[in-house]
Amino acid sequence: MESVLPIIVIAAVVALIIVAAVASHRAAKARRDALAALAAARGWTFSPDRDRNHDDHFRQFRQFRQGNGRYAYNSVFGAMKLNDRELPIKLGDFHYETHSTNSKGQSTTHHHHFSYLLSELPSAATPDVTIRPEGVFDKVGAFFGFDDIDFESSEFSNKFHVSSDDKRFAYAIVHPRMMEFLLATRGPTLILSQGHALVTQGGTWKPEEFAPSVEWLEMFFDRWPDHVLADLKSRA
């Protein structure tokens, strides 16, 4: 019996691995199908293929420059509306790898996945801006003098981190009505840089969360004052 027990244990482990692999495959297929259906419903284009050039095309965002083994997948290409124009968008999932070594010198590869939404900006002359919910490290950074931009609303300043290379522009777009919108929606991380906007939250979104993310970004842009857009147009 003792000689049979190891065989039973090994067989059980193998069976669990097979079951987990089958479940993972089915979940991945269901996700691809859901995103393909989203694209089809809106007249957009879907590609499940791995895009290993994505990180080079959007290298201004550090989120796409982490680790190695980087690629975008489950990519959806389309457009979102802003007044009387359309802004090209790309959304989907992104993968990268990191590695760790234990005390015995054994290396482990860690796979990281997160979802994103990218959009062209209303103007390529838009300054770099980051708006995201404030975290513990932001408060620690503020203690050491690495502060973000403060606004008249103490509630907003306590809950959101805002930084920019152009404070005047940041104040112009983060006006009282925009603050109310961001506080009400508990907005995700939003980065404006080099002609593109990136929306992400660090983890993977459910398929049904992609469309609301596009709508959220449309509402964000819709709240930009007309004089800001006119100023950016003149800069361009």
Side-chain angles (χ1 to χ4, degrees), residues 55-235:
D55 56 339
D56 284 331
H57 292 154
F58 303 103
R59 62 173 55 249
Q60 68 267 41
F61 301 109
R62 65 172 182 79
Q63 286 82 355
F64 300 131
R65 303 298 296 173
Q66 302 177 90
N68 49 36
R70 300 185 291 262
Y71 57 82
Y73 64 106
N74 290 340
S75 302
V76 176
F77 303 87
M80 52 177 270
K81 291 184 178 181
L82 178 63
N83 299 324
D84 58 347
R85 60 180 295 193
E86 291 189 336
L87 300 176
I89 63 173
K90 179 182 181 182
L91 53 90
D93 298 321
F94 190 81
H95 163 274
Y96 68 94
E97 300 172 3
T98 56
H99 307 275
S100 62
T101 305
N102 62 20
S103 58
K104 297 181 180 180
Q106 298 171 324
S107 179
T108 302
T109 299
H110 306 276
H111 296 273
H112 308 268
H113 302 262
F114 66 88
S115 300
Y116 68 89
L117 162 64
L118 283 162
S119 166
E120 283 193 7
L121 289 170
S123 171
T126 301
D128 287 3
V129 180
T130 296
I131 303 173
R132 55 179 168 76
E134 188 156 283
V136 175
F137 290 109
D138 294 317
K139 298 184 185 300
V140 173
F143 178 80
F144 287 101
F146 299 101
D147 208 356
D148 59 345
I149 300 174
D150 290 322
F151 295 83
E152 290 185 5
S153 169
S154 58
E155 180 186 9
F156 179 82
S157 294
N158 288 333
K159 292 185 177 179
F160 282 86
H161 170 98
V162 180
S163 58
S164 176
D165 57 358
D166 187 333
K167 287 188 176 182
R168 177 173 169 269
F169 175 76
Y171 283 124
I173 63 169
V174 186
H175 48 76
R177 194 164 67 95
M178 182 69 83
M179 292 183 207
E180 291 177 3
F181 167 70
L182 293 170
L183 285 168
T185 59
R186 287 300 294 162
T189 292
L190 170 67
I191 304 173
L192 314 180
S193 182
Q194 298 180 30
H196 285 87
L198 168 65
V199 177
T200 186
Q201 289 180 301
T204 53
W205 296 335
K206 296 177 181 178
E208 60 269 24
E209 293 178 319
F210 281 90
S213 296
V214 175
E215 293 163 4
W216 183 91
L217 189 57
E218 288 176 336
M219 290 187 287
F220 173 80
F221 285 144
D222 190 53
R223 283 165 171 76
W224 284 23
D226 291 339
H227 71 84
V228 171
L229 294 172
D231 178 57
L232 291 175
K233 186 176 180 180
S234 67
R235 293 191 201 184

Side-chain angles (χ1 to χ4, degrees), residues 1-9:
M1 179 65 181
E2 291 183 359
S3 61
V4 175
L5 185 59
I7 298 176
I8 295 175
V9 172

